[in-house]
């Protein structure tokens, strides 16, 4: 956790030194937010969504449209993006929350594709293939002072702030009673229902929550890109977030998705130099992870750490588990 | 209602093979009447048609000829879902067979009964080691006392099977050679050579 | 009047009759047993009673209130709790978390998105008390999946108990346990008996006959016999079986 | 010993069904497993076949350790199985059900003709879809199927279930014949009488443990003991 | 001398060094170079290498690279060589944004060239505008490119859907009949192009009785073709692009609907048609260039192409290659005219610049419209060639329309260029 | 009357499409039946079939082996026949490779199988892109099955008649295979009760390998036949796997004729939306999926299966 903050908190000071660029850092953080939100659904809720790109896209569009039609306040536009994604997520959750496993996954694909098609079709609103352009990085107005975030480095700091806020919120959520119930549902849905919990409602809530976070990330992405494009809503992009979260180890660790995202982007930027086929290798890596280590990178790391700690008493183990949140 | 509980009115089922030159590969007939409640033991070699008879009594298998009247109602004219309100077939799950339904349910009449009148127990398992035999026999007697007709289809492969039959059954039906025949007692059945050959060595024990 | 009652339950899956006219009543404070051979419909019956399935016909009454067809969560909130035949724990939770999630106080806080689930001292004390009650004192921090089988069985009951039920349904609590563990479980259930109303499906007749106040035998989806253990044993066939030789 | 089962613990998921069960079968021997509902008889057979692999303990068949072998290898070594619920594929005809079972092992081979010689009704049923068979007919198919696999050890799970007395006698005759030919049989029965009439030795199971074992004759002759162990 | 610094070579060095010590990054050297006149001018090539338009993207890349090599062979620009880096935009705007950010901030390119899809072009255009980097949209022909999505730094080199519609519609009403049906790919380019077609056609008396929207990614056109067959229009004006068009053409030919009704296909990109056989070209369509134009220099270019790219599947240059090639050459000339790589100077050198027919290898003169930054140029009308002279001779050029006749009048009203003084300035 | 006459070709179209859908779905179903795996890579293998065919049909396909030249010298009709045999075999080999990877997921949550095949789908698509390029390709067809036929006033594609006929033939052959051959018996028995089949001495591992190969070969055949209708591009797979799933859910897992009927139904829906609501035709499949799963998760003729989680 501290490591993550240390790395991301100082990133603009060294990223150029290693041959990368601050803009990439911002994209990485945005996708971290997206993936962390997604992991509350997949890793904690056990609900695989293959159509999450839709809500990311909805957030992006909503941010742009709000900026053009509603208000020039950054905060209002962000709220609009979050609400829009949450709203559509909530509607979809009505259809899918009583489903599990494969049916759930396929329904999310179907809805994701529908949103994608509608976004590409509804050109009067989304501007279709051209993309919704000229979305501004509105100044961050804190009341006492407003900071422009047009340039990449200030924008990075802004995104970093969002990242920290998201982490704090999601960390609270997964360790809250709500988070516990969601984890309980993942482990044993029937039992949770028999303990008096309204399972469908919790599933709908966690789906909506993760859609809201996706929408938030989408809005930031729209700012980063200066536009909203329909491609982020397609199946392949939705699949990429699943890949990132699983390879990173979302099943076993809160931080897993961050590892996955960093690996994905850095590999993409660095390996992309040597090979056009890096997507292929990433896909193969994903298959290997599913086959041999569904716990992902975080799982491998935990495996090493726990092996070292075997002699410790169960109480201190518990302490460790609590510290890691799982 | 003074209607007899169950009438197998010249019921016959035949399976044939071949489209033009039809050959009968299987046939079972029954013409029996059960006026009031009783516990009936049913026996017969494998493939003689006991299960087919049961299926016709519960209405799932349509007879080639004849009628099954359950408390005066032709069971094949009763709504599918309500047939088990007249006659119910208890069987091992692997014995379930599915038959085609010709008429839609709404064209049929309702059963007019709440709890099955005829109970058909197809090869219930009797294990001497746990105590369930006792509970099961009690149950048969309870059904009988509540004016139900109980069939127990049982192959007496051991002496205690015969003991059970003797203990609870008042009437016996033996299905063999394509026909269901009734006998008043086990001893009467034993007069039948086919029954003796069906029993084989168990006869000696009995 | 009995605390929990089933009146004329019917259940069909498609064309298959699974439950036929089941009527049962479980008096308050007693331990009622349900027994029957495999596939007789005991677990289906349990599932109907606890709300997992809606009966095709018939009523389930709890404390004078008709709860037929209500979803499991609603029935559970009224004070009906159950354990499962196949172990149904939250495996990646610790024993303490397992119990914690089951506490009604936790349920009320279920949509609390920011509080700390493990931070409430009062809740944790209550969870610890439940663990102690089922003989798992001190095993709270252990992950459920790392517990021994017997402890898991006990935790299974602990989770059901933590919901502070008025009626506790136990589905084959002894299944898979060795003789010693069965004895310990019997001890635990005997302690609970009298405190709350218990209904237990059980395969192990020795166990059940030793504990139950009354027993219903289910076969072919019907109650084929009911009575006190002594009444059931009166039948000569029963006398000659294993059951007859029990002390 | 053709089969040696040593102290096996078998679980379904995490539910333990067998607690240290040991038994052995000699070549040309018929062994009966008796016991009440849920005692672990069927589980024992499943463990031998490797369908539910024991977590602890060892199983040796025909001189080889089979406790880690895949089921199909165990079957190919010559273990035949007549499951209690028959498990005939309902959408296949009798002939096709039998044809998929045909195989050779080091033990005596059986031909279709031979099998039809024993179960004469089957010959007329070959073209029938298995779901249209009566219970007894299915049982015949199940036994025929086990024989066609040329077994050296046949596991009969409730073979008398649903069969007419005469056919039960036939099945018992087959068991005796297998025994005479030096093949071995384990027979699981609820109906103790039937089993005792053919078995050499008996294991009585109770709640997943061996409660008693000994010669079948001892039980046959001692009514009191029989009552004690098996009920009336 | 050929300088070929590909992204691969450049980044390979980067990655290798980065691991060892605190590496200063390539751009630090650039700054040093910036003071020296022999520093190569770095061009970022943002051509699609994967995705829906990869085929065309690679073709225009060949054009651009060939032009760069020719320029370097002649001694470069302002005495400096050109070098380039390439990156795959995956035909995805969000990837294009990231690549543009990287090229500008990290690789410090001087100019960016390349796009097929309008979304990609817009994405790059936005980033480029932010930093003031001159960007050539070589092949995206959405009318919005030079309309509402125009940028001060962006120059559009292909004819747009509106140009082609203007060139074709008038003629078609006269020749084929008045009963028109529009077939529109359900996205921005399709909508705008169909709108332009409809306006022009109606102006000349056509009756547009139906418009069928075809979703992007449609595979099976038979229901649509059956409908067309049943409706019996005189003209089907199709604005269907990319791979969709290829499938549609294949199926139309298969159902023998390619002769009647008359098909008016907005534009025909060479990479989309080449290799499918002459039979597969159907209908009347527009193009900006053809390799058998009877003009001096055309044959030369074909020969140079074949010498430079002997292995490609496309044996002769087509319009997509041509746009890339011409644009790159014009960029070099503009730098020369500006006498500097200063972006604002280059922009000024480009705006309103006139290009002679001879230089353009077209029949009419062309100019860069200062209002929309769109290259107004000759548009050719063509159809399938029934008398090909060789196996590459797919098209029969029917006629051509000069730049002013083909011009899209709406551009002037739709396009609002950012003021030049609000555009960041730089010099590489 | 006129309306009906207009409708007729669309219905024909729907039937042709439906038969091909059924062919895709049957291979998909075999795999679900025996392995209880939802093979999301089915569509990519479908695409791979078309690409293998492309390589074998024309030198443009990128096959540079000397032996292939022999093939290219054959008359196109013969070549097509050979390709219809060789390409599916090639895809079956790839499918078997995937099955070997899948083994580790058997007995776990079916989600793992889903995730693995999802990854495999991405990998296969990427491989196709790398090998054959990202753009639309066309497989040359024997002239005898291309062109149009006239039914009275209406034109209809000859190829679609061929495709329908071929699909009917394949479905018929598949039925015969399942009903009349010992392998068919093993597959059916294996799908019904894998445990018993193992106890009969059948190597289930090998049976699964075979069935997976067989199922993917069916996908490949469908891919080849579908190629002239849908075109060949790397991401064509998604368009095949969604109807397959809809059909299986509609028709019920394990029901052969259920799948055929559902295939026809889905084909009809797609054909008609293509004609009368063209701009919505691509979403139609997804709307159908949502409707089907929302209202009829068990399927029309289906039994309980792994799908019901």
């Amino acid at each position: 956790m501290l490591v993550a903050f240390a790395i991301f908190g100082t990133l603009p000071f060294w990223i150029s030194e290693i041959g990368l660029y601050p803009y990439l850092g911002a994209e990485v953080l945005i996708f971290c937010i997206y993936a962390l939100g997604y992991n509350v659904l997949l890793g904690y809720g056990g609900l695989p969504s293959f159509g999450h790109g839709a809500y990311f896209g909805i957030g992006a569009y909503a941010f742009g449209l709000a900026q053009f039609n509603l208000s020039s306040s950054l905060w209002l536009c962000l709220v609009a993006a979050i609400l829009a994604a949450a709203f559509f997520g909530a509607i979809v959750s009505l259809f899918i929350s009583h489903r599990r496993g494969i049916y759930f996954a396929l329904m999310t694909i179907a809805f994701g594709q529908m949103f994608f098609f509608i976004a590409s079709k509804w050109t009067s609103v989304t501007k279709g293939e051209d993309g919704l352009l000229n979305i501004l990085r509105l100044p961050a107005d804190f009341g006492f002072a407003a900071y422009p975030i047009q340039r990449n480095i200030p924008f990075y700091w802004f995104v970093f702030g969002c990242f920290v806020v998201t982490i704090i919120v999601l960390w609270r959520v997964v360790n809250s009673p709500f988070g516990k119930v969601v984890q309980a549902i993942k482990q044993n849905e029937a039992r949770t229902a028999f303990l008096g919990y309204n399972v469908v409602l919790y599933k709908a809530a966690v789906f909506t929550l993760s859609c809201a976070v996706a929408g938030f990330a989408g809005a930031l992405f729209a700012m980063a890109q200066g536009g909203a494009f329909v491609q982020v809503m397609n199946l392949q992009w939705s699949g990429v977030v699943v890949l990132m979260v699983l390879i990173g180890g979302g099943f076993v660790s809160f931080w897993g998705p961050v590892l996955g995202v960093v690996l994905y982007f850095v590999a993409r930027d660095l390996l992309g130099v040597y090979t056009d086929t890096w997507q292929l290798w990433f896909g193969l890596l994903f298959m290997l992870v599913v086959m041999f280590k569904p716990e992902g990178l975080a799982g491998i790391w935990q495996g090493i750490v726990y092996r070292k700690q075997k002699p410790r008493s169960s109480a201190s183990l518990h302490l460790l588990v609590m510290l890691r949140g799982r | 209602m003074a209607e007899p509980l169950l009438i197998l009115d010249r019921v016959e089922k035949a399976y044939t093979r071949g489209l033009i030159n039809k050959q009968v590969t299987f046939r079972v007939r029954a013409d029996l009447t059960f006026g009031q409640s009783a516990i009936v033991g049913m026996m017969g070699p494998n493939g003689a048609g006991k299960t087919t008879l049961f299926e016709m009594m519960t209405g799932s298998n349509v007879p080639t000829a004849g009628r099954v009247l359950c408390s005066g109602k032709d069971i094949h004219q009763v709504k599918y879902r309500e047939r088990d309100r007249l006659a119910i077939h208890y069987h091992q799950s692997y014995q379930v067979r599915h038959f085609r339904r010709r008429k839609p349910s709404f064209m049929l009449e309702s059963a007019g009964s709440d709890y099955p009148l005829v109970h058909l127990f197809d090869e219930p398992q009797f294990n001497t080691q746990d105590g369930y035999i006792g509970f099961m026999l009690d149950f048969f007697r309870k059904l009988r006392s509540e004016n139900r007709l109980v069939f127990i289809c049982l192959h007496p492969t051991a002496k205690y099977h015969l003991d059970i039959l003797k203990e609870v059954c008042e009437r016996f039906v033996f299905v063999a050679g394509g026909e269901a025949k009734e006998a008043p007692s086990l001893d009467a059945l034993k007069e039948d050579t086919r029954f003796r050959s069906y029993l084989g060595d168990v006869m000696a024990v009995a | 009047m009995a605390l929990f009652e089933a009146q004329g339950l019917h259940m069909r899956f498609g064309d298959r009759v699974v439950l036929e006219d089941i009527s049962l009543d479980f008096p308050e404070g007693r331990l009622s047993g349900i027994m029957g051979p495999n596939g007789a419909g005991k677990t289906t019956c349990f599932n109907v009673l606890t709300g997992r399935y809606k009966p095709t016909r018939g009523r389930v009454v709890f404390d004078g209130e008709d709860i037929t067809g209500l979803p499991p969560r609603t029935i559970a909130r009224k004070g009906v709790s159950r354990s499962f035949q196949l172990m149904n724990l939250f495996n990646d939770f610790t024993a303490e978390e397992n119990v914690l999630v089951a506490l009604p106080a936790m349920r009320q806080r279920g949509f609390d998105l920011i509080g700390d689930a493990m931070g409430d001292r009062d809740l944790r004390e209550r969870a610890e008390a439940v663990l102690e009650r089922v003989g798992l004192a001190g095993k709270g921090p252990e992950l459920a999946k790392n517990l021994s089988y017997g402890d898991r069985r006990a935790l299974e009951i602990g989770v059901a108990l933590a919901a502070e039920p008025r009626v506790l349904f136990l589905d084959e609590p002894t299944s898979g346990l060795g003789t010693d563990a069965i004895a310990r479980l019997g001890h635990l259930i005997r302690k609970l008996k009298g405190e709350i109303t218990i209904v237990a499906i059980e395969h192990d007749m020795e166990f059940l006959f030793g504990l139950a106040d009354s027993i219903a035998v289910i076969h072919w989806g019907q109650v084929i016999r009911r009575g006190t253990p002594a009444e059931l044993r009166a039948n000569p066939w029963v006398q000659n079986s294993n059951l007859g030789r029990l002390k | 010993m053709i089969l040696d089962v040593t102290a096996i613990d078998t679980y379904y998921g995490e539910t333990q069904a067998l607690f240290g069960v040991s038994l052995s079968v000699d070549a040309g021997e018929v062994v009966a497993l008796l016991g009440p509902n849920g005692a672990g008889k069927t589980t024992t057979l499943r463990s031998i076949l490797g369908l539910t692999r024991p977590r602890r303990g060892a199983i040796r068949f025909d001189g080889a350790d089979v406790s880690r072998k895949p089921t199909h290898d165990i079957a190919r070594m010559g273990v035949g199985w007549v499951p209690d619920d028959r498990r005939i594929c309902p959408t296949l005809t009798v002939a096709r059900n039998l044809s998929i079972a045909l195989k050779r092992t080091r033990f005596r081979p059986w031909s279709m003709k031979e099998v039809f010689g024993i179960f004469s009704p089957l010959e007329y049923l070959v073209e029938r879809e298995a779901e249209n068979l009566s219970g007894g007919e299915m049982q015949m198919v199940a036994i025929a199927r086990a024989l066609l696999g040329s077994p050296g050890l046949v596991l009969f799970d409730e073979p008398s279930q649903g069969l007419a007395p005469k056919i039960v006698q036939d099945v018992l005759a087959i068991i005796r014949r297998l025994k005479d030919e030096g093949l071995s049989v384990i027979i699981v029965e609820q109906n103790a009488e039937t089993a005792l009439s053919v078995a050499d030795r008996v294991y009585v199971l109770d709640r997943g443990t061996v409660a008693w074992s000994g010669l079948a004759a001892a039980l046959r002759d001692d009514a009191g003991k029989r009552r004690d162990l098996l009920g009336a | 001398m050929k300088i070929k610094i590909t992204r691969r070579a450049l980044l390979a060095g980067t990655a290798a060094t980065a691991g060892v010590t605190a590496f200063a990054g390539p751009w630090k050297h650039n700054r040093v170079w910036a003071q020296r006149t022999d520093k190569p001018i770095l061009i970022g090539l943002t051509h699609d290498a994967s995705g829906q338009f990869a085929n065309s993207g690679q073709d225009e890349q060949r054009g651009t690279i060939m032009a760069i090599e020719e320029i370097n062979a002649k001694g470069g620009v302002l005495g400096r060589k050109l070098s380039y880096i390439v990156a795959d935009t995956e035909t995805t705007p969000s990837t294009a944004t990231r690549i543009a950010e990287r090229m500008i901030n990290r690789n410090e390119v001087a100019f960016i060239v390349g796009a097929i899809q309008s979304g990609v072009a817009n994405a790059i255009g936005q980033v480029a505008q932010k930093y003031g980097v001159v960007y050539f949209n070589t092949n995206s022909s959405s009318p919005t490119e030079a309309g509402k999505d125009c940028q001060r730094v962006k120059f559009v080199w292909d004819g747009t859907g509106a140009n082609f519609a203007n060139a074709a519609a008038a003629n078609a009403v006269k020749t084929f009949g008045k009963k028109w049906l529009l077939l529109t790919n359900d996205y921005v380019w399709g909508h705008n192009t169909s709108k332009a077609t409809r306006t022009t056609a109606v102006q000349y008396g056509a009756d547009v009785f139906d418009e069928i929207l075809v979703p992007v990614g449609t595979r099976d056109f038979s229901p649509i073709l059956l409908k067309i067959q049943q409706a019996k229009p005189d003209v089907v004006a199709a604005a269907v692009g990319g791979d969709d068009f290829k499938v549609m053409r294949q199926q139309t030919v298969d159902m023998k609907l390619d002769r009647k009704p008359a098909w008016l296909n907005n534009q025909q990109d060479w990479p989309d048609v080449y290799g499918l056989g002459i039979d597969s070209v159907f209908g009347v369509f527009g193009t900006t260039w053809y390799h058998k134009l009877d003009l001096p220099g055309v044959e030369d270019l074909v020969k140079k192409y074949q010498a430079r790219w002997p292995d490609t599947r496309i044996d002769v240059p087509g319009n997509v290659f041509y746009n890339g090639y011409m644009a790159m050459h014009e960029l070099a000339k503009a730098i020369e005219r500006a006498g500097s790589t200063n972006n604002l100077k280059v922009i000024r050198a480009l705006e309103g610049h006139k290009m002679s027919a001879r230089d353009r290898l077209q029949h009419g003169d062309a100019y860069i419209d200062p209002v929309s930054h769109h290259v107004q140029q000759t548009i050719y009308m063509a159809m399938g060639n029934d008398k090909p002279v060789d196996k590459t001779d797919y098209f029969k050029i029917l006629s051509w329309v000069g730049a002013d006749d083909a011009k899209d009048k709406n551009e002037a009203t739709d396009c609002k260029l950012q003021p030049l003084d609000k555009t960041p300035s730089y010099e590489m | 009357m006129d309306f009906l006459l207009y409708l007729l070709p669309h219905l024909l179209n729907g039937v042709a499409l439906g038969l091909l859908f059924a062919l895709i779905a049957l291979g998909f179903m075999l795999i679900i039946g025996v392995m209880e795996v939802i093979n999301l890579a089915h569509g990519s293998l479908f695409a791979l079939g078309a690409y293998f065919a492309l390589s074998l049909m024309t030198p443009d396909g990128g096959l540079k082996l000397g032996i292939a030249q022999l093939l290219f010298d054959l008359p196109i009709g013969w070549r097509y026949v050979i390709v219809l045999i060789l390409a599916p075999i090639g895809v079956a080999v790839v499918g078997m490779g995937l099955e070997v990877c899948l083994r580790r997921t058997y007995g776990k949550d079916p989600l793992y199988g889903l995730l693995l095949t999802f990854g495999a789908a991405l990998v296969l698509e990427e491989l196709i892109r790398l090998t054959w390029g990202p753009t639309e390709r066309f497989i040359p067809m024997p002239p005898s099955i291309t062109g149009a036929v006239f039914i009275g006033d209406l034109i209809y594609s000859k190829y679609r008649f061929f495709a329908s006929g071929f699909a009917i033939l394949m479905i018929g052959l598949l039925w015969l295979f399942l009903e009349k051959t010992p392998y068919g018996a093993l597959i059916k028995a294996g799908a019904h009760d894998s445990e018993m089949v193992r106890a009969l001495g059948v190597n289930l591992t090998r049976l699964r390998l075979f069935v997976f190969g067989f199922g993917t070969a069916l996908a490949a055949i469908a891919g080849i036949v579908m190629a002239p209708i849908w075109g060949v591009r790397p991401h064509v797979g998604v368009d095949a796997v969604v109807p397959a799933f809809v059909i299986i859910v509609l028709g019920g897992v394990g029901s052969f004729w259920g799948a055929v009927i559902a295939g026809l139904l889905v084909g009809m829906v797609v054909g008609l939306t293509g004609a009368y609501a063209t701009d919505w035709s691509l979403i139609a499949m997804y709307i159908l999926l949502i409707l089907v799963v929302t209202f009829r998760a068990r399927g029309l003729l289906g039994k309980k299966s792994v799908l019901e989680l």
Side-chain angles (χ1 to χ4, degrees), chain E residues 124-142:
Chain E
I124 299 171
Q126 281 206 141
V127 179
Q129 180 67 37
K130 191 165 75 179
Y131 297 103
V133 176
V134 176
Y135 168 53
F136 278 17
N137 164 11
T138 38
N139 265 300
S140 170
S141 49
S142 171

Side-chain angles (χ1 to χ4, degrees), chain A residues 260-306:
Chain A
V261 172
V262 171
L263 177 75
Y264 180 88
F265 274 93
V266 173
R268 178 176 170 155
D269 221 73
L270 292 181
L271 288 185
V273 177
Y274 300 103
T275 166
D276 283 339
T277 63
W278 78 274
Q279 287 235 29
L280 173 73
W281 299 114
F282 205 75
L284 283 173
L285 177 65
F286 174 78
M287 284 177 72
L288 288 176
V289 163
V290 174
M291 277 161 66
F292 296 102
K293 196 77 189 170
E295 301 88 1
L297 292 179
I300 293 170
W301 185 71
Q302 282 180 359
I304 296 166
V305 173
Y306 281 126

Side-chain angles (χ1 to χ4, degrees), chain C residues 15 25 27 40 55 76 81 93 95 110 114 137 147 160 167 206 230 234 241 247:
Chain C
D15 284 344
D25 55 89
S81 186
F93 277 176
I114 12 189
L147 289 174
V167 185
E206 186 179 341
S241 72
K247 282 127 279 180

Side-chain angles (χ1 to χ4, degrees), chain C residues 42-246:
Chain C
K42 292 167 298 186
T43 299
T44 310
C45 180
F46 243 48
N47 283 333
V48 170
L49 295 179
T50 53
R52 177 175 251 182
Y53 302 144
K54 190 174 186 258
T56 320
R57 219 141 42 93
R59 288 187 347 132
V60 183
V61 179
F62 173 55
D63 199 16
E65 183 185 356
D66 188 346
I67 58 166
T68 323
L70 293 180
R73 59 166 193 278
T74 316
I75 294 179
R77 285 182 193 170
K78 292 185 187 300
V80 178
S81 186
R82 70 170 289 182
S83 76
F84 289 79
Q85 180 186 354
L86 294 172
M87 208 101 55
N88 245 324
L89 293 169
F90 305 113
N91 279 326
D92 293 334
F93 277 176
T94 61
E96 187 184 7
E97 284 170 319
N98 264 283
V99 173
L100 209 63
V101 168
L103 291 173
M106 184 73 163
R107 195 164 64 215
Q108 273 148 27
R109 291 181 51 195
F111 275 100
D112 178 352
L113 286 154
I114 12 189
D116 184 357
M118 305 298 290
D120 191 322
R121 179 177 297 261
D122 178 45
L123 285 188
R124 294 189 68 169
E125 270 168 14
R126 263 193 260 180
E128 195 51 48
V130 171
L131 287 175
E132 207 177 309
R133 205 165 162 202
V134 294
L136 292 176
K139 293 199 171 146
E142 209 84 63
L143 282 182
K145 63 179 166 203
N146 296 339
L147 289 174
S148 74
Y149 187 83
D151 283 351
R152 284 168 59 71
R153 274 273 162 225
L155 182 58
E156 175 75 31
I157 293 173
V159 172
L161 270 182
E164 293 163 19
R166 296 177 62 196
V167 185
L168 176 63
F169 284 86
L170 301 173
D171 194 352
E172 302 220 6
T174 68
S175 86
L177 288 181
T179 333
D180 296 347
I182 290 180
R184 254 186 294 143
L185 187 77
H187 184 66
L188 168 65
I189 292 179
R190 202 161 284 127
K191 255 192 345 194
L192 294 175
K193 194 176 151 182
E195 289 177 38
I196 52 176
T197 312
I198 300 176
V199 183
I201 291 185
E202 195 40 73
H203 221 80
D204 186 325
M205 298 199 193
E206 186 179 341
F207 183 79
L208 194 61
F209 273 63
L211 282 171
D213 298 306
S214 72
I215 294 175
V217 184
I218 291 189
H219 197 5
W220 300 304
Q222 318 193 31
V223 180
I224 63 170
R225 189 80 167 81
R226 296 180 66 186
T228 62
E231 281 164 359
L232 293 188
R233 253 189 255 182
N235 184 301
W237 285 94
V238 180
Q239 300 251 300
N240 280 334
S241 72
N242 289 353
L243 255 182
R245 289 188 309 280
L246 298 178

Side-chain angles (χ1 to χ4, degrees), chain B residues 151-169:
Chain B
F151 281 84
I152 302 164
C153 177
L154 177 65
H155 292 298
T157 52
K159 184 179 163 295
Y160 75 90
H161 287 145
L162 287 172
D163 293 343
I164 289 171
L165 288 172
K166 261 188 215 155
E167 186 183 323
V168 301
C169 296

